Amino acid sequence: MNQIPLRERVANERRRLKSVRQAMSAALERGSGNDPAWAPFYIAVADYIDAAMHRLHIQDVRMGEMIRAKLGDKLDERARQGLQELDERLDGNQRHLQAFLECRDRLRNEGAQWLAEFERIGRDYTGYITANMGHHGAITDLAQSLFSLDDWAYMAGVSDDEARQEQALYTKVFAAAPAVLALQPAS
């Protein structure tokens, strides 16, 4: 697996995350109608998002730390503002993710009576992701100008085991999708 260049591995992982988020958004838009057959799909989606967002959170925290370390006392107002916005987005994501995963656990442990609540919290979380996550101007520009290829490799931190786990979780999402959604995994 490590024969795939790092940039491609990271791009593939982010593409799969986007694909899962879009699949969840399509499911949330249609709604389960409290059909218990949807629970395994929603649980698989949440398991995937849990693992993927954990890794992306670590990457983004690491990126902020590396930018701060590289700039040191040369941290200007634009960089300070960009780093503050990064920290705020990450904190907001963690709050939404925590609620999402708590509801996933209720759905997994207590059953389909949690479908409507999962869908409500899922809509809140996907709304937050689409509005706030991803790399934004100042931070992306700083990272591009400051990081070497080795820095990018360290920041990404993609191990073969993590890549295999991410791919297995991704496969489970589309295997569990209700047929009525007609979802296709990203190629």
Side-chain angles (χ1 to χ4, degrees), residues 21-129:
R21 186 195 50 75
Q22 290 172 333
M24 183 170 84
S25 292
L28 293 171
E29 185 175 316
R30 185 183 189 290
S32 68
N34 289 319
D35 181 349
W38 285 54
F41 170 68
Y42 281 149
I43 291 167
V45 164
D47 288 347
Y48 179 88
I49 289 175
D50 184 14
M53 293 307 285
H54 175 75
R55 286 197 16 75
L56 292 176
H57 182 79
I58 290 170
Q59 290 172 358
D60 287 348
V61 167
R62 193 175 288 158
M63 179 171 51
E65 291 171 349
M66 291 168 65
I67 288 170
R68 285 179 175 95
K70 286 185 177 290
L71 289 177
D73 59 359
K74 295 177 186 142
L75 190 67
D76 64 16
E77 187 54 36
R78 182 170 186 255
R80 192 176 340 276
Q81 180 67 32
L83 289 164
Q84 180 181 340
E85 289 171 5
L86 172 67
D87 292 342
E88 290 168 1
R89 284 192 313 272
L90 292 174
D91 288 345
N93 182 67
Q94 289 303 105
R95 284 191 307 276
H96 280 84
L97 179 61
Q98 180 73 29
F100 181 69
L101 296 178
E102 286 173 4
C103 198
R104 174 214 45 199
D105 293 343
R106 288 183 191 112
L107 182 59
R108 184 188 327 263
N109 297 326
E110 299 172 33
Q113 73 260 21
W114 284 95
L115 280 167
E117 183 67 2
F118 182 89
E119 289 174 334
R120 184 190 68 76
I121 289 174
R123 280 189 291 279
D124 289 347
Y125 187 40
T126 58
Y128 184 84
I129 290 171

Side-chain angles (χ1 to χ4, degrees), residues 1 8 15 47 53 60 97 112 118 134 148 157 165 169 176 179 181:
M1 188 163 286
E8 186 178 337
R15 186 173 24 263
D47 288 347
M53 293 307 285
D60 287 348
L97 179 61
F118 182 89
S148 68
Q165 178 192 20
L169 290 168
L181 293 175

